[in-house]
Amino acid sequence: MTQAVDHDFDVVVVGGGPGGSSASAFVAMQGHRVLLLEKEQFPRHQIGESLLPSTVHGICRLLGVSEELSRAGFMVKRGGTFRWGSNAEPWTFDFALSPKFAGHTSFAYQVERMKFDKLLLDNARRKGVDVRERSTVVDIVEDGGRVRGVVYDDEHGVRHEVSAHFVVDASGNQSRLQGRIGGRRQYSEFFQNIALYGYYEGGMRQPAPNSGNITCVASSSGWLWYIPLSDKLTSVGAVVRRDQAHRVQGDRVEALTALISECPLVSDYLSEAHRVQSGPYGQVRIRKDYSYLHDSFWRPGMVLIGDAACFIDPLFSSGVHLATYSALLAARSINTALRGEIAEQECFTEYEARYRKEYHLFHDFLTAFYDVNQDEQRYFEEAARVTRDAASSQAEAFVGLVGGGASSESALVSETYRAQRRAALRDHLPRMHWEGQRLQVQAAFGEVAGDIPLREGGLVETEDGMHWTRGTQQPARVSQT
């Protein structure tokens, strides 16, 4: 095989999905040299089509693609509808209920991932990222216990070795590199599901303004999703428990048809629809949805983001949110370490602590939500308990969580909400001592003040959201490893 040695980069990102394209853009926007390696050619099919407001109005705003996203014509999603729990009737929530998504940010999109992912990848190119598609990473380069780069094969079969200060593994649940971080994936004993899904044209829509809502319906085997991607196209999937895995064996079309037939609500929505049988949406596909959490998210010179680090059951459409949120956190850590202001270990300890917290918020709430013997009010109460959101009503806490705003990250919530929180802090907590301030702010407002760490000894984000700092303290300068 032909060998080649590329120029050095500050960062190499493996994987061009939403996590990889976001992380690479956030780092390149700070003037660093970034190489992104993607094994496929975009556009390509991907599942995970329902976005959250925190991604649309937080991450995409920081990336500078808000207007482009608006012009793309994606279906507007104002909330969700559930036929779930002890209530026999479907119930609906609106993102507008939560002050975290106030006003013009109280919606998200249902997206065709082929189009959305390409939009983000093209944006990374515009931000200065060297994007190389059809390039498969086969190994990492190590030296003295530190990751120093990667080895990859390009589309012509030429093998390359690239050196970098940091390697970001954003290659998803099928990552071949995640084991090199140390430790292993710990799979959930509770969330061991399998998804079977296809696409339909002509399905029914709810009356406006909820015509773009995702609908989730509990069934005897698990649950079903119904996602309007356009006026005509709908993504429909059945998620079955591990003990029902035999239901998705054999002919996939017959299996999906049978599972839909057991759900009167979805069957009614599809009564005049037909399944797409050609093109990228013509297949009925299977996705293993086992939830997992890696023992470690980073090692010197390397970090896992998105599904490479962890995966949670897709019931609340958290996949793209977790991928892009972890991309932002990792980019902050890389940008700060490259600038030499705070040591690498401290930066990535902050990254891992925050990403694990976000994962556990969804995991702990989903564990309670899977108890279908409760009504929606009980689910709202559980959301308030899990998030410790004392500033909101229980229903608001639920919407704040499922909208991706429970992390107390100022970058992910509306400017109106941030301004209200700052004003409240100014008016009510002007003379607090720092030691007691953190706990009182959390108790009073359900979030942490802008310059107060989310944990003892932790870091806070800078005003632009692109770096870590020690808040009101002056950061000590350290040498770059």
Side-chain angles (χ1 to χ4, degrees):
M1 177 176 288
T2 304
Q3 298 277 343
V5 178
D6 285 352
H7 296 294
D8 294 346
F9 289 86
D10 294 310
V11 179
V12 173
V13 177
V14 184
S21 58
S22 297
S24 62
F26 285 139
V27 175
M29 287 163 63
Q30 300 305 303
H32 303 302
R33 299 161 300 163
V34 183
L35 172 66
L36 187 151
L37 301 170
E38 165 57 45
K39 68 178 181 179
E40 298 187 63
Q41 180 75 46
F42 279 37
R44 53 87 175 99
H45 172 78
Q46 185 59 272
I47 193 62
E49 299 141 328
S50 195
L51 303 187
L52 305 185
S54 59
T55 301
V56 172
H57 305 290
I59 300 298
C60 290
R61 172 181 57 83
L62 291 173
L63 288 171
V65 297
S66 295
E67 292 187 8
E68 187 177 0
L69 195 59
S70 178
R71 294 193 301 267
F74 294 128
M75 178 70 77
V76 173
K77 168 188 174 183
R78 302 192 182 279
T81 298
F82 284 87
R83 167 61 280 275
W84 198 281
S86 59
N87 190 341
E89 296 299 319
W91 51 275
T92 295
F93 72 87
D94 296 322
F95 292 128
L97 178 62
S98 172
K100 295 182 177 182
F101 312 118
H104 69 282
T105 64
S106 59
F107 69 91
Y109 293 111
Q110 315 282 23
V111 298
E112 295 180 62
R113 285 286 301 275
M114 289 189 297
K115 298 177 181 179
F116 177 73
D117 290 10
K118 189 175 186 303
L119 183 154
L120 293 186
L121 190 64
D122 289 344
N123 178 67
R125 284 191 176 95
R126 291 195 299 270
K127 294 297 192 293
V129 178
D130 184 345
V131 176
R132 303 179 189 178
E133 297 175 78
R134 298 179 65 185
S135 297
T136 303
V137 175
V138 296
D139 204 357
I140 62 171
V141 178
E142 297 184 76
D143 180 26
R146 181 180 181 83
V147 176
R148 300 285 183 179
V150 301
V151 177
Y152 78 95
D153 296 338
D154 68 18
E155 59 181 312
H156 304 295
V158 178
R159 176 152 292 182
H160 300 252
E161 182 174 316
V162 183
S163 62
H165 291 295
F166 292 101
V167 172
V168 178
D169 183 5
S171 56
N173 68 319
Q174 295 184 353
S175 166
R176 296 194 294 180
L177 300 180
Q178 49 87 18
R180 305 297 297 275
I181 210 80
R184 61 188 183 90
R185 287 179 175 176
Q186 303 293 339
Y187 284 87
S188 169
E189 295 183 1
F190 188 81
F191 298 111
Q192 297 186 356
N193 300 326
I194 299 173
L196 182 70
Y197 64 96
Y199 295 85
Y200 293 77
E201 288 186 340
M204 290 176 57
R205 297 289 180 260
Q206 296 187 51
N210 297 326
S211 54
N213 276 15
I214 184 174
T215 299
C216 297
V217 184
S219 71
S220 58
S221 300
W223 60 276
L224 286 85
W225 76 68
Y226 187 95
I227 303 176
L229 296 177
S230 70
D231 290 340
K232 295 181 179 180
L233 184 65
T234 306
S235 170
V236 182
V239 179
V240 301
R241 300 185 305 273
R242 185 181 182 183
D243 64 339
Q244 296 291 310
H246 62 279
R247 300 291 307 276
V248 301
Q249 296 174 355
D251 187 284
R252 294 181 180 181
V253 174
E254 292 181 1
L256 181 58
T257 301
L259 289 164
I260 291 172
S261 69
E262 296 174 3
C263 179
L265 181 60
V266 175
S267 293
D268 184 47
Y269 281 2
L270 294 175
S271 60
E272 298 183 8
H274 64 275
R275 187 178 65 81
V276 179
Q277 299 185 46
S278 62
Y281 296 129
Q283 301 179 43
V284 173
R285 294 178 167 92
I286 288 181
R287 164 73 186 261
K288 183 178 177 181
D289 277 341
Y290 282 28
S291 298
Y292 55 82
L293 188 66
H294 205 285
D295 288 333
S296 178
F297 289 1
W298 76 281
R299 59 175 287 193
M302 181 177 175
V303 61
L304 308 179
I305 69 172
D307 288 357
C310 56
F311 177 80
I312 189 64
D313 184 275
L315 178 59
F316 287 119
S317 308
S318 57
V320 174
H321 162 67
L322 289 172
T324 56
Y325 177 48
S326 66
L328 174 61
L329 297 176
R332 284 179 187 161
S333 301
I334 291 169
N335 290 337
T336 305
L338 287 175
R339 197 157 67 175
E341 295 182 339
I342 299 175
E344 175 181 346
Q345 180 170 351
E346 192 172 355
C347 291
F348 284 98
T349 296
E350 187 69 32
Y351 161 74
E352 182 160 343
R354 292 197 182 212
Y355 193 21
R356 283 186 182 275
K357 178 183 177 183
E358 190 74 356
Y359 174 90
H360 282 297
L361 281 174
F362 280 96
H363 181 278
D364 293 351
F365 180 63
L366 278 164
T367 301
F369 198 81
Y370 261 76
D371 181 354
V372 295
N373 296 314
Q374 307 294 330
D375 62 16
E376 57 266 35
Q377 184 55 47
R378 181 68 185 88
Y379 299 139
F380 297 163
E381 293 172 2
E382 186 63 22
R385 184 193 69 81
V386 169
T387 60
R388 301 180 182 179
D389 188 347
S392 306
S393 70
Q394 292 169 342
E396 290 172 353
F398 170 83
V399 175
L401 172 60
V402 301
S407 65
S408 301
E409 271 280 353
S410 61
L412 303 185
V413 296
S414 73
E415 177 58 37
T416 301
Y417 181 76
R418 294 196 298 272
Q420 290 173 344
R421 295 302 91 197
R422 287 194 293 268
L425 290 170
R426 252 192 337 267
D427 294 343
H428 298 289
L429 301 171
R431 291 182 290 277
M432 276 187 168
H433 294 297
W434 190 93
E435 292 80 1
Q437 188 177 20
R438 178 178 55 83
L439 294 177
Q440 293 209 33
V441 169
Q442 287 177 316
F445 303 112
E447 66 165 34
V448 179
D451 61 348
I452 302 174
L454 295 184
R455 59 190 180 85
E456 291 290 348
L459 303 173
V460 298
E461 66 270 25
T462 53
E463 186 71 22
D464 64 0
M466 294 294 107
H467 298 83
W468 297 120
T469 183
R470 293 193 177 91
T472 57
Q473 303 177 40
Q474 290 296 320
R477 193 162 191 84
V478 298
S479 60
Q480 174 65 39
T481 304

